[in-house]
Amino acid sequence: MTIAGIQPHQILTSLRQGNPQLLAISRDVYNCISKIRRDILAGRTAIQALLDELADGGFHYNAKNDEEGRLTHLFFAHPKSITLSKNYSNVFVMDCTYKTNKYKMPLLDIVGVTSFNSSFYSCFAFLQKEEREDYVWALTMFNDMLDNVSRPTVIVTDRELALMGAIKIVFPGAMNLLCVWHIEKNILSKCKCHFQDEDDWHRFFSTWSTLIESPTEMAYHKAWQDFNDEFEEKGIALNYIFNTWLSFKERFIKAWTEKYLHFGNRVTSRAEGAHSNLKIYLQLSTGDFYLVKNKICLAIENQFEEIKTKLSAEKIKVPSDLRISFFDKLINRISVFALKELFKQYNLATSNPNLTTCKSHFTATMGLPCAHKMRCLLDEGKVLHLGDVHSQWRIDDRMIGDIGIVKNNQDKMKEILGDFHKEYTKWPPSQQEVALNQLSHLVGTSTPMLREPSVQNPRGRPPTSKNKKSKSSTSREPSEFEIVEATRRCSTCNGVGHNRRTCPRKDVVTMSTSQISPLIPTGVSDEIDISDLYVYRNGANSFW
């Protein structure tokens, strides 16, 4: 149960359900877990055990260390992830996640897309920093894992300039799309503060969303000109958008992105979902790399079995509503997801007599025939063939079977060590290192002796003093747009950053014209514009 990642209190509950007379307490469970860990390590450090298991388990991995011998970078890919990555090598989503390990090192998570439009973990890399050199090293390892043959055609990221630069170096032929969702949230966090009226903001944001969806380059240029004309007075917001985002317009504006085979992936939500699922397995952010790697393996193995089961099921079972004669040559040969996408286009081709002009966007991005092509085939009395469908959606030629994982051979180490590890922990660190070096030669291992990484200073804002989360929590800190959206406005002036009690205009009284008129002497009201007056409170009942 410990190896399966079950928590100690749940282990104790399970044991008591099996044996109501059990006298064990939680401390006994913790002691057993500690003994299991000591037996697995067999006198090795956690880093040494990690590298041994990566080597013996068929992983593709690599590590870097600094001059002091401290681990600074670690890349690894599970054998099952390698199999999936080589089967589905067209599109990948890349993003870093945080609060996964006690060294506070960011974890680069690379996620792929299957025939069923589901996600899978491709590989992981712990990085010392998030600079271009760090990303180049990780992506080079990723490229080596793919055997330099199955190169991705599209990579989706957020606007991480260092990662974008590394992709250009390692995968020059791949198109690096930017996450539309992250762009919208960045604009929200940077531009909303320039709008006092909520309706004006919604109109601004809606116009921007329309601009992103421009179907052609001509439509984009017209939309941008109209956008500038309509919000000319919001110069700061427009300058931010132009300088920060529109220099990368080919990476997220639909007029350009619809030319690339991204299979509908224009956001990094796959990576966000993968991060969330991974942290369910991790549970704590204070584990070392050995513990984190084991938890990651649990997630990968469960995910792999689900994909393998779904692949087998769809080869023999397809929903009855998709079994039409036009798809006869595709049934049980492509995924149900692809069949459903084709069925939508089929309905358009058969029910809509006036199709719009074909822009080839659907075929270019999804690798599937569009309604226009289907209508031509139907008029000619033909049906769809496998050659009309991109290999991404094929399931008939996928061979994702059982992969034998070589278990780490600890017997040889245990025979040499005996009960050595019981005394080993009492020795000073320098003596431990000398002993481990000697033992590594005895067992014939070539794994380098590395030290634990130093704790990094994570990038970004430090945790706030209010509502501090547990130090072991894996929950991320709120993003800037979440802070902006959650900001409470002053009930007096509708401003942000203060409340009614501390409002700088708390002495300004908002009054209607009918309330102001009696305060103005007779004859004066004809000489001034009452709507331009500010009435200030002077004492409890008088005004001036």
Side-chain angles (χ1 to χ4, degrees), residues 188 192 478-489:
L188 184 151
K192 190 175 182 180
S479 299
E480 186 176 1
F481 76 86
E482 292 172 312
I483 296 175
V484 171
E485 288 183 324
T487 300
R488 298 182 64 180
R489 291 182 174 271

Short mmCIF file of all heavy atoms in Angstrom, two decimals, residues 188 192 478-489:
data_model
loop_
_atom_site.label_atom_id
_atom_site.label_comp_id
_atom_site.label_asym_id
_atom_site.label_seq_id
_atom_site.Cartn_x
_atom_site.Cartn_y
_atom_site.Cartn_z
N LEU A 188 -6.58 40.60 -19.50
CA LEU A 188 -7.49 40.95 -18.40
C LEU A 188 -6.73 41.58 -17.23
O LEU A 188 -7.12 42.61 -16.69
CB LEU A 188 -8.23 39.69 -17.93
CG LEU A 188 -9.30 39.85 -16.85
CD1 LEU A 188 -10.36 38.77 -17.00
CD2 LEU A 188 -8.72 39.75 -15.44
N LYS A 192 -7.67 45.63 -17.65
CA LYS A 192 -8.96 45.90 -17.01
C LYS A 192 -8.90 47.11 -16.08
O LYS A 192 -9.90 47.82 -15.91
CB LYS A 192 -9.42 44.67 -16.23
CG LYS A 192 -10.86 44.78 -15.73
CD LYS A 192 -11.34 43.50 -15.08
CE LYS A 192 -12.79 43.64 -14.65
NZ LYS A 192 -13.29 42.41 -14.01
N PRO A 478 -2.24 31.98 -6.62
CA PRO A 478 -3.16 32.55 -7.60
C PRO A 478 -2.43 33.37 -8.65
O PRO A 478 -1.45 34.06 -8.36
CB PRO A 478 -4.08 33.44 -6.74
CG PRO A 478 -3.31 33.71 -5.50
CD PRO A 478 -2.49 32.49 -5.26
N SER A 479 -2.89 33.28 -9.89
CA SER A 479 -2.31 34.07 -10.98
C SER A 479 -2.76 35.51 -10.87
O SER A 479 -3.72 35.83 -10.16
CB SER A 479 -2.73 33.49 -12.33
OG SER A 479 -2.28 32.16 -12.47
N GLU A 480 -2.08 36.38 -11.63
CA GLU A 480 -2.39 37.81 -11.55
C GLU A 480 -3.82 38.09 -11.97
O GLU A 480 -4.51 38.90 -11.37
CB GLU A 480 -1.41 38.60 -12.42
CG GLU A 480 -1.56 40.10 -12.28
CD GLU A 480 -0.52 40.86 -13.07
OE1 GLU A 480 0.32 40.22 -13.73
OE2 GLU A 480 -0.54 42.11 -13.00
N PHE A 481 -4.30 37.40 -13.02
CA PHE A 481 -5.67 37.64 -13.48
C PHE A 481 -6.68 37.22 -12.43
O PHE A 481 -7.76 37.82 -12.30
CB PHE A 481 -5.92 36.93 -14.80
CG PHE A 481 -6.15 35.45 -14.71
CD1 PHE A 481 -7.40 34.93 -14.45
CD2 PHE A 481 -5.08 34.57 -14.87
CE1 PHE A 481 -7.60 33.56 -14.37
CE2 PHE A 481 -5.27 33.20 -14.79
CZ PHE A 481 -6.53 32.70 -14.54
N GLU A 482 -6.36 36.18 -11.63
CA GLU A 482 -7.28 35.74 -10.58
C GLU A 482 -7.37 36.78 -9.47
O GLU A 482 -8.42 36.98 -8.87
CB GLU A 482 -6.82 34.39 -10.02
CG GLU A 482 -6.97 33.26 -11.03
CD GLU A 482 -6.35 31.96 -10.54
OE1 GLU A 482 -5.20 31.98 -10.07
OE2 GLU A 482 -7.02 30.93 -10.66
N ILE A 483 -6.25 37.43 -9.20
CA ILE A 483 -6.24 38.49 -8.19
C ILE A 483 -7.08 39.67 -8.68
O ILE A 483 -7.86 40.27 -7.93
CB ILE A 483 -4.80 38.93 -7.88
CG1 ILE A 483 -4.03 37.77 -7.25
CG2 ILE A 483 -4.78 40.15 -6.97
CD1 ILE A 483 -2.56 38.06 -7.02
N VAL A 484 -6.93 40.00 -9.98
CA VAL A 484 -7.69 41.11 -10.55
C VAL A 484 -9.18 40.80 -10.53
O VAL A 484 -10.00 41.63 -10.14
CB VAL A 484 -7.22 41.40 -11.99
CG1 VAL A 484 -8.15 42.40 -12.66
CG2 VAL A 484 -5.79 41.91 -11.98
N GLU A 485 -9.55 39.57 -10.93
CA GLU A 485 -10.96 39.20 -10.96
C GLU A 485 -11.58 39.16 -9.57
O GLU A 485 -12.75 39.43 -9.40
CB GLU A 485 -11.12 37.83 -11.63
CG GLU A 485 -10.90 37.86 -13.14
CD GLU A 485 -11.12 36.51 -13.77
OE1 GLU A 485 -10.78 35.50 -13.12
OE2 GLU A 485 -11.62 36.46 -14.90
N ALA A 486 -10.74 38.83 -8.57
CA ALA A 486 -11.25 38.71 -7.21
C ALA A 486 -11.21 40.03 -6.45
O ALA A 486 -11.66 40.11 -5.32
CB ALA A 486 -10.43 37.66 -6.44
N THR A 487 -10.66 41.07 -7.07
CA THR A 487 -10.53 42.35 -6.39
C THR A 487 -11.89 42.95 -6.10
O THR A 487 -12.73 43.09 -6.99
CB THR A 487 -9.71 43.35 -7.25
OG1 THR A 487 -8.42 42.79 -7.47
CG2 THR A 487 -9.57 44.68 -6.54
N ARG A 488 -12.09 43.36 -4.86
CA ARG A 488 -13.35 44.00 -4.47
C ARG A 488 -13.26 45.49 -4.75
O ARG A 488 -12.23 46.12 -4.53
CB ARG A 488 -13.62 43.74 -2.99
CG ARG A 488 -13.79 42.28 -2.66
CD ARG A 488 -14.10 42.07 -1.20
NE ARG A 488 -15.38 42.67 -0.84
CZ ARG A 488 -15.89 42.62 0.39
NH1 ARG A 488 -15.24 42.01 1.36
NH2 ARG A 488 -17.05 43.18 0.65
N ARG A 489 -14.34 46.06 -5.21
CA ARG A 489 -14.36 47.48 -5.54
C ARG A 489 -15.00 48.30 -4.42
O ARG A 489 -15.84 47.81 -3.67
CB ARG A 489 -15.13 47.71 -6.85
CG ARG A 489 -14.39 47.16 -8.07
CD ARG A 489 -15.15 47.45 -9.34
NE ARG A 489 -14.38 47.04 -10.51
CZ ARG A 489 -13.52 47.83 -11.14
NH1 ARG A 489 -13.33 49.08 -10.72
NH2 ARG A 489 -12.85 47.39 -12.19
#
